[in-house]
């Protein structure tokens, strides 16, 4: 009979970096990793949000940086060897193609795509064998949605994840993504406070609710842990079933 002597969700000898950690999904992931014992660097551009989020949380140090700026990211992380890296810093501009200006397009790309690249560029060379990278993508990478700049960055994250899984796998580094469905966070809480927006989404979701940041953090903890030790280059859609149904 197999005996389980170790807790595979114990991160107490591990270090982690989480971007977008001042709010929403990133914050829930950073807090859960810290709760599981990891020493966490919580990185975000929002200094006040970081301070508010971690004032009473152990195991977390904060770093203020704009992920779109490689030199700022490099200065914030140095040569630390992280066991877990989770990219979540992101922005959404709610505009269709006609309304999207070149500046809008470049801004979304610079944070949601170049920002992820910058963090990986700064930390991947120092990550040890057995480490894990998790990229927060989106259901919009899988399904037609309204906002082309945002959705294009999320599709690109799936491709980047697969390429890096191939490149970093031989070093024992796993690279996966999570595609959240609709999760109530700072990105959309005003929008979904309006029942006109929330009600149709809830009724199209088989599990009949909007998601919470913790729904994503739970899966991130699994993806970061040895429970997922043979998973790389993969994406998990965490959406209450929204993407599994046809809405017609
Ligand atoms: N909320 C959803 O429904 C949903 C769905 C799919 C994917 N996502 C993705 O999840 C990730 C987290 O978003 P969220 O929903 O938690 O939103 P959020 O607005 O609550 O959090 C995003 C965080 O990113 C930070 N950030 C933005 N630009 C930054 C920059 N240039 N440098 C550093 N930090 C920056 C913000 O300050 C904020 O703390 C994003 O990548 C988003 O695209 C969210």
């Amino acid at each position: 009979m197999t005996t389980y002597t170790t807790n595979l969700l114990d991160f107490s000898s591990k270090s982690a970096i989480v971007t977008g950690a001042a709010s929403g999904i990133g914050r829930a992931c950073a807090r859960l990793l810290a709760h599981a014992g990891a020493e966490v660097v919580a990185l975000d551009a929002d200094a006040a949000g970081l301070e508010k989020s971690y004032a009473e949380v152990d195991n977390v140090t904060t770093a203020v940086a704009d992920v779109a700026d490689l030199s700022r990211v490099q200065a914030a992380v140095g040569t630390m060897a992280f066991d877990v890296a989770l990219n979540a810093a992101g922005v959404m501009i709610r505009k269709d193609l006609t309304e999207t200006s070149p500046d809008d397009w470049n801004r979304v790309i610079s944070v949601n795509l170049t920002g992820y690249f910058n963090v990986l560029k700064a930390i991947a060379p120092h990550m040890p064998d057995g480490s894990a990278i998790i990229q927060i993508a989106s259901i919009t990478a899988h399904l037609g949605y309204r906002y082309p700049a945002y959705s294009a960055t999320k599709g690109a994250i799936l491709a980047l994840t697969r390429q890096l899984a191939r490149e970093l796998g031989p070093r024992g580094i796993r690279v996966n993504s999570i595609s959240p469905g609709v999760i109530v966070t700072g990105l959309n809480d005003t929008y979904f406070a309006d029942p006109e927006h929330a009600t149709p989404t809830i009724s199209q979701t088989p599990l009949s609710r909007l998601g919470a940041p913790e729904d994503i953090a739970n899966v991130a903890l699994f993806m970061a842990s040895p429970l997922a030790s043979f998973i790389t280059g993969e994406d998990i859609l965490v959406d209450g079933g929204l993407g599994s149904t046809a809405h017609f």
Side-chain angles (χ1 to χ4, degrees):
M1 197 173 86
T2 310
T3 44
Y4 297 97
T5 51
T6 51
N7 177 358
L8 296 175
L9 294 174
D10 178 3
F11 284 74
S12 47
S13 56
K14 307 289 184 191
S15 62
I17 180 165
V18 177
T19 75
S23 178
I25 291 169
R27 176 167 57 200
C29 292
R31 292 176 78 119
L32 186 58
L33 281 160
H35 179 72
E39 287 296 330
V40 178
V41 173
L43 187 147
D44 204 288
D46 176 4
L50 282 173
E51 198 171 318
K52 211 166 86 187
S53 299
Y54 300 103
E56 287 160 28
V57 182
D58 290 336
N59 309 356
V60 177
T61 47
T62 57
V64 181
D66 177 350
V67 293
D69 182 339
L70 178 59
S71 61
R72 294 290 310 278
V73 173
Q74 283 170 327
V77 302
T79 55
M80 266 192 79
F82 293 103
D83 300 290
V84 179
L86 189 141
N87 260 324
V91 292
M92 174 186 261
I93 294 184
R94 293 179 182 278
K95 292 182 179 175
D96 66 16
L97 179 64
T98 11
E99 296 169 317
T100 302
S101 69
D103 281 352
D104 293 333
W105 176 266
N106 289 332
R107 173 70 188 145
V108 176
I109 302 269
S110 74
V111 178
N112 295 11
L113 182 55
T114 309
Y116 280 33
F117 163 80
N118 286 343
V119 172
L120 299 174
K121 185 88 183 140
I123 63 169
H126 316 293
M127 291 183 83
D129 189 352
S131 57
I133 293 168
I134 297 154
Q135 317 251 64
I136 303 300
S138 171
I139 191 173
T140 68
H142 299 267
L143 302 174
Y145 190 53
R146 296 187 195 91
Y147 312 123
Y150 179 82
S151 302
T153 61
K154 296 304 181 177
I157 291 304
L158 298 192
L160 179 63
T161 298
R162 283 190 294 266
Q163 305 314 310
L164 293 181
R166 180 173 183 153
E167 179 177 332
L168 300 177
R171 282 180 45 205
I173 303 173
R174 296 181 298 105
V175 192
N176 292 294
S177 61
I178 298 172
S179 284
V182 178
I183 311 296
V184 181
T185 69
L187 203 70
N188 56 22
D189 51 0
T190 318
Y191 184 80
F192 283 110
D194 181 349
E196 218 173 284
H197 296 138
T199 307
T201 305
I202 292 168
S203 69
Q204 287 166 6
T205 303
L207 293 180
S208 303
R209 67 173 173 88
L210 302 176
E214 292 71 23
D215 291 317
I216 305 305
N218 291 338
V219 178
L221 196 72
F222 159 72
M223 288 292 238
S225 80
L227 290 170
S229 59
F230 202 47
I231 304 178
T232 196
E234 192 51 83
D235 181 71
I236 299 187
L237 197 51
V238 183
D239 67 347
L242 180 63
S244 68
T245 56
H247 307 299
F248 54 80

